[in-house]
Amino acid sequence: PPSHGVLIRDAPVCWQIEYDGRRVGYAVSQAVPGALGTTEVHSRVKLDGINLGKLAPQWMSTLVRGLGEISLDTRTTLVLDTLGSLSSFDTRVWLNDLPLVMKAVGKVDGPELLLKLQTGEVAHESRHPVPTSALLASELIPEPKLLHVYVGRRWQQEVYSPFRPPTSPMEILQAEVVDETWIEQHGQGVRVRKIEYRSLPPAGGAAGK
């Protein structure tokens, strides 16, 4: 996969989120110094006025059916060790004005990720292999930046998603740079590249870097 670049501490990275042609929220992440030379990445994704029934995966559809438009607030603290590798993370999800809906805590233990999920009174623990020297991505943490991408380049990455079944929270995505265009930002033209992500089955073939 292309290099993510160097995390710039204390500089927040913000994204505007649009769905079906309208603005529905934002995502922000910020890296700050942690204890004993570690780095903490704090992120928040806030969505308002979205129909969760249309966006939710099939296994979750029965839980959110009938809710209509909702507000979703997710906050994650991710800890990187002194070498920049994942050490642990803590994700909390709120729905509308309800108390905490879901909590996910992960900790790297050797070659495995020990994951604890709790929804209401129901808790589940599982272990998953962690790629060597790879930073675990998440749907709830916006990418700070991607380097060395060009039209036609493809790669794979593992993503932790709290919206997948609790027994299978890891997903393999294939990314492809499909287009290069210009957008207007703060009154100036900026050249950008469009990247599409597609879910792959666990046994999917390897994609070229």
Side-chain angles (χ1 to χ4, degrees):
S3 170
H4 293 262
V6 178
L7 283 173
I8 303 176
R9 291 186 175 185
D10 303 320
V13 176
C14 304
W15 296 82
Q16 176 179 298
I17 301 175
E18 296 182 1
Y19 176 72
D20 199 22
R22 65 186 180 94
R23 185 182 303 181
V24 296
Y26 63 86
V28 60
S29 66
Q30 185 173 20
V32 298
L36 302 175
T38 62
T39 299
E40 293 184 0
V41 182
H42 298 267
S43 70
R44 182 182 184 184
V45 177
K46 185 74 166 63
L47 300 173
D48 292 302
I50 62 171
N51 191 319
L52 195 59
K54 293 182 179 180
L55 299 178
Q58 185 176 4
W59 74 273
M60 190 188 286
S61 60
T62 56
L63 301 177
V64 300
R65 186 178 299 155
L67 288 179
E69 291 190 347
I70 58 93
S71 294
L72 189 70
D73 191 352
T74 62
R75 306 189 188 201
T76 297
T77 298
L78 184 146
V79 179
L80 307 178
D81 62 22
T82 55
L83 299 177
S85 298
L86 174 68
S87 177
S88 64
F89 68 87
D90 184 305
T91 295
R92 297 163 191 256
V93 180
W94 288 266
L95 182 66
N96 294 340
D97 296 323
L98 299 175
L100 183 65
V101 174
M102 190 201 76
K103 177 180 179 181
V105 178
K107 183 178 181 180
V108 174
D109 182 13
E112 294 183 316
L113 173 69
L114 175 60
L115 185 64
K116 298 180 180 179
L117 295 174
Q118 183 170 349
T119 304
E121 300 298 324
V122 180
H124 177 79
E125 293 188 9
S126 58
R127 287 181 175 269
H128 306 273
V130 176
T132 303
S133 302
L135 175 61
L136 181 67
S138 169
E139 290 183 343
L140 306 183
I141 301 178
E143 297 278 7
K145 59 182 176 179
L146 289 173
L147 305 179
H148 311 303
V149 292
Y150 49 84
V151 175
R153 185 168 192 182
R154 295 188 300 168
W155 67 91
Q156 287 185 8
Q157 67 184 70
E158 285 190 284
V159 174
Y160 157 71
S161 172
F163 303 109
R164 287 179 55 82
T167 56
S168 180
M170 306 295 291
E171 182 177 20
I172 299 177
L173 295 182
Q174 177 173 284
E176 182 177 2
V177 187
V178 297
D179 191 20
E180 184 174 275
T181 185
W182 291 82
I183 64 173
E184 183 175 315
Q185 184 180 36
H186 304 304
Q188 296 183 343
V190 179
R191 189 175 68 173
V192 298
R193 296 172 183 86
K194 181 180 179 181
I195 303 176
E196 293 184 351
Y197 293 86
R198 297 181 178 88
S199 179
L200 293 178
K209 288 183 64 176

